[in-house]
Amino acid sequence: MLCSGTRSRIARATCAAVFLMLAGSWLPFLPISQAHASDLPPYRFGVLPLQSPNKLASMFLPLTKVLEDRLHRPVQFVTAPSFSIFMQRVAQREYDIVYLNPLLCAEAQKSGYHVIAKIAGEPFTGILVVRRDSNITKLAAPLRPGLRLGFPDPGAFAATVMTRRYLESLGIPVDRDFEVKYFGSQDSVLMALYSGLVDVAGTWKPSLRSMPKHIQQALRIIAETPPEPQMPIAVRDDMPAADMKTVAKVLVDMGSTSTGRQILNGMELPQGFVLTNDSEYAKVGK
């Protein structure tokens, strides 16, 4: 005869076995996001190579982890060696989510991407920066001969396209009055300025803020362009509508939690994101 303690242990074990059997029988009926999330192909989050890959990874990987948790599927951070290669991949629809500048957004829309959110707060402007010890206080025609002007990439909207337009509006033909050099990324052009390789650099405020403090303190802004719509985030048109809504909600809700605010600060975007749509970007660059 079994003692009462033994009977009790057997009863508990039997109940546990029945529970596990029932739980197992329900597993196939769980939503795919819970039962087989790891079996889904990853969403590729393509980030325009504004800065070095290591810096972009440190900025965007925390966001991709939040998206993974909310979407119940892997989300990969990816970038490209250059703006042109990035846009080739956009044209080939290699990315599911993209973070890019307003001018390139128009090209992405032609490849079937839809804008869902943009950076909130500060206007999207280009800035022209010099060393703090430079004797250049403003840019006006005529310029002294031999000035060297650095840009990150010909496709950098704020840093290159908008600052070029601004200088042309002042009556300064950029390619005639400057020795123009390209350095591939925002970080590189700011380091070139800091190192004395150029006299003036085109960039934008988030990149300047992301530089080490001693570099920021060694530089100063001498001009700022008129604004355009802010940097957008867009998704590919075959993403399920529910996932589109989830991505948009994650972005706009980031500023409402301490963890989200910490991620935004790490991205040098403390102002966060707001909802927007394709129509805001229809006339950018025209």
Side-chain angles (χ1 to χ4, degrees):
M1 179 178 292
L2 297 174
C3 66
S4 60
T6 302
R7 288 197 300 271
S8 176
R9 286 194 297 274
I10 292 172
R12 288 198 299 272
T14 302
C15 288
V18 171
F19 173 79
L20 290 172
M21 180 179 67
L22 290 173
S25 69
W26 279 101
L27 187 60
F29 300 98
L30 287 173
I32 191 169
S33 60
Q34 297 178 39
H36 300 292
S38 61
D39 295 337
L40 293 170
Y43 281 142
R44 289 167 57 82
F45 192 148
V47 179
L48 190 69
L50 295 159
Q51 294 164 285
S52 70
N54 286 343
K55 181 177 283 188
L56 289 177
S58 69
M59 293 167 66
F60 280 86
L61 281 174
L63 173 58
T64 61
K65 180 62 173 68
V66 175
L67 289 170
E68 276 190 348
D69 292 342
R70 292 291 300 277
L71 292 165
H72 305 293
R73 70 187 292 165
V75 178
Q76 293 179 346
F77 158 81
V78 286
T79 187
S82 67
F83 281 43
S84 60
I85 293 175
F86 182 87
M87 290 309 296
Q88 288 172 18
R89 294 173 181 174
V90 168
Q92 294 164 2
R93 295 168 59 85
E94 293 186 19
Y95 306 129
D96 301 280
I97 308 167
V98 289
Y99 174 76
L100 69 181
N101 71 38
L103 186 63
L104 297 178
C105 179
E107 293 300 312
Q109 288 171 318
K110 295 175 185 176
S111 299
Y113 289 84
H114 295 303
V115 180
I116 58 171
K118 67 174 183 176
I119 294 173
E122 70 180 353
F124 182 82
T125 60
I127 55 175
L128 291 159
V129 185
V130 298
R131 285 182 56 94
R132 191 165 295 279
D133 57 9
S134 171
N135 59 9
I136 302 172
T137 57
K138 65 177 182 177
L139 293 169
L143 297 174
R144 67 175 173 83
L147 281 180
R148 300 161 299 169
L149 174 58
F151 293 123
D153 185 279
F157 189 38
T160 305
V161 177
M162 291 172 64
T163 54
R164 272 181 167 273
R165 286 180 185 166
Y166 174 76
L167 290 167
E168 297 280 349
S169 75
L170 298 178
I172 302 172
V174 172
D175 292 308
R176 188 194 73 186
D177 289 4
F178 287 101
E179 180 186 347
V180 176
K181 300 182 178 184
Y182 292 98
F183 292 89
S185 73
Q186 306 275 0
D187 287 357
S188 297
V189 74
L190 286 168
M191 285 304 300
L193 177 63
Y194 176 75
S195 303
L197 299 178
V198 293
D199 304 293
V200 186
T203 185
W204 71 318
K205 289 181 180 178
S207 290
L208 182 59
R209 287 197 299 263
S210 76
M211 299 301 287
K213 291 297 181 185
H214 72 280
I215 294 178
Q216 292 184 51
Q217 292 167 1
L219 307 178
R220 58 184 169 86
I221 299 169
I222 57 168
E224 184 170 1
T225 72
E228 289 275 6
Q230 256 293 358
M231 294 279 285
I233 290 182
V235 297
R236 211 170 66 190
D237 56 9
D238 58 355
M239 179 181 285
D243 286 358
M244 286 188 187
K245 290 180 180 178
T246 297
V247 174
K249 183 168 176 55
V250 167
L251 293 169
V252 300
D253 287 351
M254 293 287 286
S256 63
T257 67
S258 58
T259 300
R261 289 190 293 272
Q262 185 176 358
I263 291 171
L264 290 171
N265 287 333
M267 297 171 71
E268 302 294 340
L269 300 174
Q271 65 272 40
F273 296 90
V274 293
L275 295 177
T276 188
N277 55 48
D278 288 332
S279 62
E280 185 171 359
Y281 295 84
K283 295 185 178 180
V284 171
K286 294 181 180 178

